[in-house]
Amino acid sequence: MWGYVVLSALGEEPRRTQAALATAINADKTRIITVLDDLESRHLLVRRPDPKDRRARLLSLTPEGRRLRDVVRGEIQAGEEVWLGQLADLDRESFLRSLRTLSDAIRRGPDR
């Protein structure tokens, strides 16, 4: 799961630091190091020194990383459609709106 989250978060633009990526996906920066190591060893992403700050690493997807992200995203969407397709249109819209509300609340954090 974390591998897919990282691949999705990187998108087409490199993130400046591993810490910025961790913040973007709401993960502890020390937790994602092993995920990044695994993805890099599988040639799905690359880490390069930032020419403006050699202490920082720029993370970017490889073509294979983008391909895998897109395949997995398609499989997830197909699976979601199987389940959501069982709901009436109004129920589906209400359910998805509720999920977005909860997701936004989680991103904002407690008491906000």
Side-chain angles (χ1 to χ4, degrees), residues 44-64:
L44 300 173
L45 69 77
V46 292
R47 291 185 265 200
R48 294 191 176 102
D50 182 342
K52 297 176 184 173
D53 180 357
R54 298 192 67 73
R55 296 168 295 172
R57 299 280 179 223
L58 294 174
L59 305 172
S60 59
L61 296 179
T62 64
E64 180 63 17

Side-chain angles (χ1 to χ4, degrees), residues 12-57:
E12 303 306 317
E13 297 178 23
R15 295 266 177 197
R16 184 167 189 279
T17 64
Q18 293 173 184
L21 173 65
T23 299
I25 62 174
N26 292 323
D28 182 275
K29 65 182 176 181
T30 60
R31 178 182 178 138
I32 67 166
I33 291 172
T34 56
V35 175
L36 295 175
D37 289 344
D38 175 61
L39 294 172
E40 187 174 38
S41 74
R42 294 168 50 203
H43 307 287
L44 300 173
L45 69 77
V46 292
R47 291 185 265 200
R48 294 191 176 102
D50 182 342
K52 297 176 184 173
D53 180 357
R54 298 192 67 73
R55 296 168 295 172
R57 299 280 179 223

